[in-house]
Amino acid sequence: MKAAVLLAPDDVAVVDDRPEPSCGPRDVVVAVHGVGLCGSDLAVVSGRRPVPALPWVLGHEAFGVVVATGDEVADRSPGQRVVIEPNYPCLECSDCRTAATAGCRRRRAVGITEPGLLAERVAVPARFTWPVPESWDDADAVCVEPFAVALNAVRMSGLARGDRCLVVGAGSQGLLVSLAVAHAGGEPYIIEPHEGRRALALELGAHDAGSLAAATAFPAVIETSGAPEAFERALERTAPGGSLIAVGQSPRPARLTTFTLVQQRLTVRGCLIYDHPADFRRTIAMLDEHDLHPGRVLRERFEFAEAPKAFARAAEIAGKTWISLPRTEEMPS
Ligand SMILES: [Zn+2]
Ligand SMILES: [Zn+2]
C-alpha cells in the first residue's frame, strides 16, 4: 500500500511498501480521499517536532470513505463518507471524564505520536470517524479538523456579537479563525506581514488592522502565528479586561509583565485543539446548517504522488495546501 512518509528531516517520499492496516474490533478502515497540511505537519517534516520512528507516515487532517468495519462496530458502514478526528484521548482519566479531553495525558495524536493518515487506507477507532454528507465539497471536508480548532478559539475568547476581534497571523489557522469570528457575529481584523496572506484574508472578509489607528485595542485577540514577537504585539493590542487566546505555539519565551497583566486585567489562555466528542459534533452540525465553506481557505491541491512537493511548498503558499488521493475504494484481496 502507498503512503507519504518522512524518511529523514526534510526528506518526504511516497512509498509503496506499507502494510495494509489491520482493522481491530472497534475500528473502521478508511480509504483516504484528501489530507490537509498545517503547521504541525511542517514541524514534523523539519524535525522540529520529533516523531517516535522513521520512516513516519505524515498527515492528520483527513477525510475519506469507510471500506471495512470491525466486528463490534454497529454504527458505521462501508461506503460512508467520513472525516477523521485525529486525536484519541484515553476517555478514562479525570480530564476525559470531565469532557476536557484535550488535556488527556494519554492522548494519542495522529501524525505526531501515532502514524499519520497520508496513506491509501488507514485504520481508525470508529468513534473518531464522523459521517459527513456527500453534498459537501471535498475542500470543506478537508477543513473540518482545523475549523474545529478555530471555533474553539473564538468561543474561548468570549467574543460578543458586534465585537472587533484581532486575528494575529493569516496562515491557514488564522484564515479559519477569521471565518469563525465573522460567523460568530464579530468583525475580524488581521495582522499579517506576508502580503499574499494578508490579501487572501481580506478577500475572505477580514479587515486590515493596519487601517485602524495603531493604538486601537480589541476586546478579543487570537494569536495564530506562534511567533513570540507576534504574541507580544497581540498583548499590546488587547483591550483592558479583554482576552488573548494563543493558538500558535513556540518553545521560545514571550515577554509578559505581571504589571501589564494585572493593570490591564487581561485573560490570557492557551487553546489546545478540541474536546471529544462535543467539538467535532458541533463543528459538523454548524457546517451542515450554514454556508460557511471553510474550504475557501484552500489554495493549492497536489496529487498524492506530488506529496514531497506539497510539503516543500506549503510554507510559502498563501492559503492552505492539501493533497488528494486517487479513489480506489476496494480493499485489495
Ligand atoms: Zn493540523
Ligand atoms: Zn484521558
Side-chain angles (χ1 to χ4, degrees):
M1 181 190 74
K2 285 185 190 156
V5 298
L6 183 69
L7 297 171
D10 289 319
D11 186 5
V12 176
V14 177
V15 297
D16 198 9
D17 61 354
R18 302 297 297 188
E20 282 293 331
S22 70
C23 187
R26 294 181 188 177
D27 294 343
V28 299
V29 174
V30 176
V32 178
H33 284 178
V35 177
L37 305 192
C38 82
S40 42
D41 297 305
L42 301 184
V44 168
V45 167
S46 70
R48 276 176 291 135
R49 193 138 185 192
V51 285
L54 294 173
W56 186 252
V57 181
L58 296 162
H60 63 277
E61 301 174 357
F63 76 98
V65 166
V66 173
V67 289
T69 57
D71 291 342
E72 292 174 27
V73 176
D75 52 359
R76 300 288 185 279
S77 50
Q80 226 168 9
R81 188 185 202 204
V82 292
V83 166
I84 295 167
E85 180 178 352
N87 281 279
Y88 311 153
C90 77
L91 305 176
E92 284 165 6
C93 69
S94 57
D95 284 314
C96 286
R97 284 200 311 265
T98 56
T101 69
C104 175
R105 298 289 165 134
R106 287 183 281 168
R107 176 165 58 85
R108 294 151 63 203
V110 175
I112 302 205
T113 67
E114 303 291 305
L117 303 176
L118 249 173
E120 288 180 287
R121 283 165 295 279
V122 293
V124 179
R127 67 179 297 152
F128 295 99
T129 62
W130 290 86
V132 295
E134 293 295 335
S135 58
W136 282 20
D137 290 344
D138 288 352
D140 294 328
V142 164
C143 290
V144 169
E145 197 263 354
F147 197 56
V149 177
L151 291 171
N152 204 10
V154 172
R155 198 164 43 243
M156 269 187 188
S157 76
L159 180 84
R161 199 157 265 285
D163 277 354
R164 285 173 173 172
C165 177
L166 182 65
V167 180
V168 180
S172 50
Q173 199 60 56
L175 296 173
L176 290 168
V177 167
S178 294
L179 295 183
V181 167
H183 178 71
E187 272 192 82
Y189 281 78
I190 206 95
I191 293 185
E192 168 59 59
H194 183 289
E195 204 176 317
R197 287 199 192 108
R198 190 169 62 242
L200 180 54
L202 302 190
E203 187 189 317
L204 293 173
H207 307 280
D208 186 354
S211 67
L212 299 172
T216 308
F218 297 78
V221 178
I222 301 176
E223 206 300 303
T224 70
S225 77
E229 300 74 17
F231 179 87
E232 291 168 8
R233 295 293 86 70
L235 203 57
E236 290 164 6
R237 303 295 290 272
T238 309
S243 293
L244 168 55
I245 306 300
V247 178
Q249 46 189 322
S250 165
R252 288 192 292 127
R255 277 170 308 174
L256 162 58
T257 66
T258 47
F259 184 81
T260 303
L261 185 69
V262 173
Q263 290 294 323
Q264 301 293 317
R265 297 171 292 111
L266 302 179
T267 301
V268 179
R269 264 189 92 175
C271 172
L272 179 63
I273 59 166
Y274 34 76
D275 294 317
H276 177 82
D279 286 329
F280 258 64
R281 180 175 294 143
R282 193 182 287 141
T283 303
I284 288 168
M286 182 181 279
L287 293 178
D288 216 26
E289 266 168 51
H290 304 275
D291 274 339
L292 273 162
H293 297 295
R296 285 180 285 164
V297 308
L298 294 176
R299 275 303 175 273
E300 290 229 32
R301 182 181 70 84
F302 291 86
E303 301 294 339
F304 192 25
E306 302 175 305
K309 192 163 121 195
F311 282 98
R313 294 209 43 214
E316 303 147 29
I317 292 167
K320 195 172 178 66
T321 296
W322 71 292
I323 295 172
S324 66
L325 286 86
R327 310 224 161 169
T328 47
E329 243 83 288
E330 307 77 34
M331 293 283 279
S333 47

